[in-house]
Amino acid sequence: MDIFLTNNLTNKKEKFIPKNEKKIGMYVCGPTVYDDPHIGNGRPLVIFDILFRLLKDKFESVTYVRNITDIDDKIIKSSKDQKISEKELTNKIISSFFEDCKYLSCEEPTYQPKATEHIDLMIKMINELINKGYAYINKEHVYFEVKKFSDYGKLSNKNLNDLISGSRVEVSENKKSSEDFVLWKPSNSNEPSWDSPWGKGRPGWHLECSAMSKKFLGEEFDIHGGGMDLIFPHHENEIAQSRCANDTKFFAKYWIHNAFITMSNEKMAKSQGNILKIKDFRKKISGQVLRLALMSAHYKQPLDWNDKLLNDCQATLDKWYRLYALNIKIIRVPSEILKPLYQDLNTPGYIANLHKLYEKANKGEDKDLFVSACRFIGLLNEDKEQWENYRKNKASISENEIKDKIKLRNKARENKDFNEADKIRNELFDKGVLIEDENGKTIWKFK
């Protein structure tokens, strides 16, 4: 059975034809480790983990690379705000990120390279771009000259003017044109820096992925993934600098992007004050519930995060775990059961198959197949005791206390103090209370 994926490079669902069937390569943009991952960050973790599992089931060898950006302006700012070193901050967040991945039952990628460990490769690539006439130096900065790459904007299916309009393109008098993007920039005296032919400084964010993907997957590879917010400018810039530095006709053949998670139909983002961090769920809800929730909608569609979604997933898994037994024999899942996943990772369709298998297993038929099919996408991988340990009683808190907390949170949001608003939300969550912003009002329920 063939795998089909929606390729954003062509804006079509296409049959997956690898460069080499015996050696599949996939690169997915990982975290910038300046703050703990939130639920929105969890969606690509789960989606590309499922794709990794599917590819491994079909092909002989699959290399999955997910980078860690541990040098960036956001990291520098966050470390200063917290009054700790950049290294202390990144180590702390990387540790939290790995815990989140384990909590969500994600398999480890083949490689998880850190940007700071590959600065030499980035400097080498910048030199290649300068020597080939695609980059220029100005005041210790190095920029990629976008107009030199005729295919720029092909991934976004937009022309250059449309891409720049309304986007967060860095404004600088050092550039020849506004669309040019930085490959290297100088660091201040109190910031992390590395020696380079252009002075002490650090690489641009876009360059990091190009250098690391080349090291582990080569100049051309099969799949590049990430959230849809990375299409422009990050992935457009990766394509431009990689193809120009390597003199190749393509960078990655298939570009796969997941849609956003929303809350009350608003994108989950710090600017909206609606961030839910994964780590805050760890002691309250099984990671299995979050994993099922994150795959409950097709990856190309927005997923609205709310307490009903979590309650439904909890109820489903409660039912499924009642069938679970330690003497289950894990077997190969037939392609007919996997068919929805082969059709552009249709996880809702696959979950529908699991419900059908459950009905049969509940009658004593194909119990091994049901559990094996759940395990294929990272579910039912806890024993019953672990599962029951997550079931908690409602905490003792009065309605008046809840309403007072909500008033304080709303006041914090009005003052754009989103850190305080998140803190109050988490305090309520720890006491068994879920809150949700809907139509300008805040509603609450016990978990």
Side-chain angles (χ1 to χ4, degrees):
M1 187 177 292
D2 295 320
I3 295 175
F4 287 83
L5 298 169
T6 297
N7 185 2
N8 278 344
L9 194 60
T10 59
N11 206 26
K12 295 177 183 177
K13 188 162 78 170
E14 298 178 357
K15 177 181 173 180
F16 175 62
I17 304 173
K19 284 178 75 259
N20 179 351
E21 286 198 357
K22 293 184 178 180
K23 193 175 182 182
I24 310 299
M26 179 170 74
Y27 186 95
V28 177
C29 289
T32 298
V33 287
Y34 70 99
D35 199 1
D36 295 294
H38 57 74
I39 291 297
N41 305 134
R43 194 176 196 189
L45 291 179
V46 170
I47 292 302
F48 290 104
D49 178 68
I50 292 172
L51 180 54
F52 182 37
R53 292 165 185 256
L54 185 67
L55 292 169
K56 286 196 301 177
D57 184 67
K58 183 174 178 62
F59 297 102
E60 183 179 319
S61 174
V62 182
T63 301
Y64 173 19
V65 183
R66 185 180 63 213
N67 72 297
I68 295 173
T69 296
D70 57 346
I71 177 61
D72 183 79
D73 289 347
K74 289 180 180 179
I75 292 171
I76 293 171
K77 182 181 184 304
S78 182
S79 68
K80 288 178 179 176
D81 290 344
Q82 297 183 45
K83 295 181 172 55
I84 59 176
S85 70
E86 289 86 1
K87 191 68 175 175
E88 185 178 352
L89 172 66
T90 56
N91 284 344
K92 180 179 73 170
I93 302 303
I94 289 170
S95 176
S96 181
F97 172 72
F98 287 159
E99 282 294 313
D100 289 342
C101 293
K102 183 178 178 181
Y103 171 63
L104 293 173
S105 300
C106 294
E107 294 187 358
E108 286 190 16
T110 318
Y111 301 104
Q112 297 190 78
K114 296 178 183 177
T116 55
E117 295 173 352
H118 298 87
I119 302 295
D120 57 332
L121 297 180
M122 298 171 202
I123 291 173
K124 182 180 178 182
M125 183 171 278
I126 294 171
N127 267 323
E128 290 170 346
L129 289 166
I130 293 171
N131 293 336
K132 291 175 181 178
Y134 293 108
Y136 59 91
I137 308 163
N138 191 10
K139 296 180 181 177
E140 298 184 327
H141 291 75
V142 184
Y143 291 98
F144 183 91
E145 193 167 0
V146 168
K147 69 179 181 181
K148 296 284 185 73
F149 181 60
S150 60
D151 280 346
Y152 195 85
K154 189 175 180 181
L155 178 64
S156 312
N157 294 305
K158 293 182 180 180
N159 65 46
L160 192 56
N161 289 334
D162 289 340
L163 284 171
I164 294 170
S165 177
S167 67
R168 292 181 293 178
V169 173
E170 179 192 7
V171 177
S172 173
E173 61 183 15
N174 295 324
K175 296 181 181 183
K176 289 182 180 180
S177 299
S178 60
E179 65 269 20
D180 296 347
F181 58 90
V182 70
L183 302 171
W184 188 268
K185 57 185 172 183
S187 297
N188 294 327
S189 58
N190 61 342
E191 296 174 345
S193 64
W194 289 263
D195 290 326
S196 82
W198 321 286
K200 281 187 171 292
R202 59 186 187 272
W205 171 43
H206 311 301
L207 187 78
E208 297 175 2
C209 289
S210 286
M212 289 186 283
S213 63
K214 181 179 178 179
K215 174 181 177 179
F216 293 100
L217 298 174
E219 295 178 349
E220 299 174 332
F221 55 92
D222 297 303
I223 297 171
H224 197 310
M228 64 181 294
D229 55 322
L230 299 179
I231 294 174
F232 182 81
H234 185 51
H235 288 166
E236 285 285 8
N237 293 351
E238 276 191 70
I239 292 171
Q241 63 203 8
S242 293
R243 282 187 53 192
C244 291
N246 301 326
D247 294 321
T248 55
K249 291 184 178 180
F250 71 91
F251 175 38
K253 288 182 68 177
Y254 300 87
W255 289 81
I256 316 300
H257 298 94
N258 64 274
F260 296 126
I261 285 183
T262 60
M263 290 185 67
S264 302
N265 298 314
E266 287 186 344
K267 177 188 171 185
M268 189 174 289
K270 290 199 172 220
S271 58
Q272 299 294 332
N274 60 1
I275 289 294
L276 294 175
K277 294 182 178 180
I278 298 172
K279 72 173 187 179
D280 294 326
F281 287 89
R282 289 184 203 152
K283 292 183 180 179
K284 302 297 179 182
I285 299 176
S286 168
Q288 297 275 282
V289 175
L290 267 67
R291 185 176 177 92
L292 181 57
L294 288 164
M295 66 174 79
S296 62
H298 190 272
Y299 78 94
K300 297 294 290 181
Q301 300 299 320
L303 170 62
D304 200 56
W305 194 263
N306 52 68
D307 57 317
K308 183 181 183 304
L309 173 66
L310 293 180
N311 289 338
D312 288 348
C313 291
Q314 175 82 43
T316 294
L317 287 166
D318 278 340
K319 183 173 66 173
W320 289 359
Y321 265 101
R322 281 197 290 271
L323 273 179
Y324 186 75
L326 292 177
N327 60 350
I328 288 293
K329 179 183 178 183
I330 301 303
I331 61 175
R332 182 82 181 269
V333 181
S335 59
E336 191 58 34
I337 301 297
L338 295 173
K339 187 174 180 179
L341 297 182
Y342 275 77
Q343 293 295 320
D344 200 21
L345 294 183
N346 180 4
T347 50
Y350 188 75
I351 292 167
N353 280 352
L354 293 181
H355 282 294
K356 293 175 186 176
L357 289 173
Y358 167 78
E359 294 302 328
K360 294 181 69 175
N362 201 32
K363 297 174 184 176
E365 304 173 26
D366 296 331
K367 201 170 185 180
D368 290 348
L369 176 57
F370 168 65
V371 175
S372 298
C374 288
R375 288 278 190 91
F376 189 90
I377 54 170
L379 298 174
L380 295 196
N381 60 0
E382 296 176 353
D383 60 36
K384 280 189 174 181
E385 184 178 353
Q386 287 175 302
W387 176 253
E388 291 297 332
N389 282 342
Y390 277 104
R391 300 181 62 79
K392 304 288 185 182
N393 293 325
K394 297 173 185 177
S396 176
I397 182 172
S398 70
E399 287 194 21
N400 286 337
E401 287 178 296
I402 294 169
K403 290 175 181 177
D404 287 343
K405 288 283 187 183
I406 288 172
K407 285 179 183 178
L408 290 172
R409 179 176 175 271
N410 289 339
K411 186 68 175 176
R413 294 183 76 198
E414 287 174 13
N415 295 333
K416 298 194 180 300
D417 188 353
F418 298 126
N419 287 333
E420 180 63 21
D422 284 345
K423 181 181 175 184
I424 294 169
R425 175 192 285 275
N426 292 335
E427 286 175 358
L428 287 169
F429 184 86
D430 288 342
K431 294 183 178 181
V433 179
L434 291 170
I435 63 174
E436 185 175 342
D437 301 308
E438 192 173 277
N439 299 324
K441 295 182 179 180
T442 302
I443 59 175
W444 64 271
K445 290 181 182 179
F446 281 115
K447 292 195 280 94

